[in-house]
């Protein structure tokens, strides 16, 4: 069976070029980047090259990049590193748990947290950000692109509000990096998070951009790695992989490959909506990253759909996650105003650099037939169909 992977917002396959770039650092190039001998010098040079590539993707200086173990650590570093007891932070209800839970934890230590609502397209209103400012506000953290809907926030406008108020602005760009151009100067952010495994580098590596002059407290204590912003021996193969993936992502964006991805995504979206009734796009009407579409198929169970499609060789994900043994509807979809049953009936399709047109054709055959089959089995759908 040819397996089709349309769950690239969960994780992406490592590109062959990325894997080849990393390979020597698992073998002959094994040095600790802090060692001063030949082995260390070689890996140090590789880490610094990778830093340049990541900086080029984000439009910043290499010295402003801090390598981390991934997006979660970078989000936590940005939040816990910039605020403390007595400070106020403004964030939004659709943030990744890496941000929401970091804020929740800090609340227990005396930080005040405002969680802003979103509209039906999952957009934060910049006017709400402005209204939420207090004299004690130290940080605004609003994501650039949402992992479930792909919706892009008005980060430049929020950056302006932060600058006018003289507060820090952090944006989680994990789902934006490599998909849309990013320029930290235009966003006017002080910190920005990326994660390797969402842009075809390996899992377990990420980076935080920290604007020059921004004082950030480290999360852990140890050596003076990463200019004392992140202690711990560098994950050299991972960092080299992230650097190569950043370079390839920048080249692809410069070539306009994102438009090809958007065209495939749009064909998938339109094809599904043309064939399936009682379905709609979550976040419709808002600007989105080019690879994502999230659709609610009323009267189906998203988990059953994911399993049925997986049996046919198509990998997607649902707007519900298993937490403590129960299926919880996604906090993002609920924050947008979906009913819990609609959130549970939502499926996210996310394309990657490896996605080809034939796979979209195949998905367009599989999805409508699977929805029809699940609805046939659903007594609720039949009852509704008879009564209308
Ligand atoms: N932020 C967003 C928006 C994400 O989608 C993810 C991963 O799903 C993360 C943060 C966490 O990144 P990582 O998996 O590298 O810890």
């Amino acid at each position: 069976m040819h397996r089709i992977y349309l769950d690239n917002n969960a994780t992406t396959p490592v590109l062959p070029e990325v894997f080849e770039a990393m390979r020597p650092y698992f073998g002959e190039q094994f040095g600790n980047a802090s060692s001063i001998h030949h082995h260390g010098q070689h890996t140090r040079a590789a880490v610094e090259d990778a830093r340049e590539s990541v900086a080029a993707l984000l439009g910043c200086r290499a010295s402003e990049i801090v390598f981390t173990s991934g997006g979660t650590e970078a989000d936590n570093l940005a939040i816990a590193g910039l605020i403390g007891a007595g400070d106020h932070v403004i964030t939004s209800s659709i943030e990744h748990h890496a941000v929401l839970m970091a804020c929740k934890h800090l609340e227990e230590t005396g930080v005040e947290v405002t969680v802003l609502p979103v509209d039906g397209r999952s957009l934060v209103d910049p006017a709400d950000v402005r209204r939420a400012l207090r004299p004690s506000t130290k940080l605004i953290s609003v994501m650039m692109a949402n992992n479930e809907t792909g919706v892009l926030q008005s980060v430049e406008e929020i950056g302006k509000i932060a600058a006018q108020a003289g507060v820090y602005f952090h944006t989680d760009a994990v789902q934006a990096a490599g998909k849309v151009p990013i320029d930290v100067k235009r966003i006017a952010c002080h910190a920005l998070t990326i994660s390797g495994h969402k842009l075809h580098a390996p899992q377990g590596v990420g980076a935080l951009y920290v604007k020059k002059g921004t004082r950030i407290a480290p999360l852990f204590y140890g050596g003076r790695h990463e200019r004392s912003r992140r202690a711990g021996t560098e994950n050299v193969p991972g960092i080299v992989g992230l650097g190569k993936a950043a370079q390839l992502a920048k080249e692809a964006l410069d070539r306009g490959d994102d438009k090809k991805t958007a065209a495939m995504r749009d064909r998938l979206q339109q094809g599904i909506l043309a064939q399936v009734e009682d379905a709609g796009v979550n976040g419709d009407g808002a600007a989105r990253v080019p690879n994502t579409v999230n659709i609610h198929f009323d009267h189906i169970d998203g988990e059953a759909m994911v399993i049925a499609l997986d049996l046919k060789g198509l990998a997607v994900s649902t707007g519900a996650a298993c937490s403590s043994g129960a299926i919880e509807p996604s906090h993002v979809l609920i924050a947008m105003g979906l009913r819990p049953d609609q959130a549970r009936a939502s499926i996210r399709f996310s394309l990657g650099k490896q996605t080809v047109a034939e796979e979209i054709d195949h998905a367009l055959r599989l999805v409508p037939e699977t929805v029809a089959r699940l609805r046939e089995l659903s007594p609720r759908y039949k009852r509704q169909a008879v009564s209308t």
Side-chain angles (χ1 to χ4, degrees), residues 1-2 8 12 68 86 123 127 148 174 177 181 187 204 216 230 238 243 268 271 292 297 323 331:
M1 188 199 311
H2 173 66
N8 289 271
T12 55
T68 66
L123 285 172
E148 296 192 32
V174 165
I187 300 171
I216 192 156
R230 199 276 184 179
L268 178 68
T292 309
F297 298 97
S323 84
H331 71 283

Side-chain angles (χ1 to χ4, degrees), residues 70-72 75 96 143 147 172 174-175 195 197-198:
T72 300
D75 280 343
H96 191 269
M143 71 197 321
N147 38 303
D172 176 338
V174 165
Q175 295 290 348
S195 168
H197 73 110
K198 311 292 182 172

Side-chain angles (χ1 to χ4, degrees), residues 325-336:
I327 306 292
E328 294 291 341
S330 135
H331 71 283
V332 174
L333 301 181
I334 294 296
M336 294 167 66

Side-chain angles (χ1 to χ4, degrees), residues 28 53 56 95 104-105 108 122 140-141 146 148 154 176 224 226 230 237 267 307-308 322 354 365:
E28 65 271 27
S53 301
E95 298 299 310
K104 197 165 174 216
H105 167 70
E108 287 159 22
S122 75
I140 298 167
S141 180
N146 184 264
E148 296 192 32
S154 311
R224 293 202 187 141
E226 300 296 300
R230 199 276 184 179
R267 195 160 66 80
I307 295 167
C322 187
Q354 77 289 358
R365 284 191 293 274

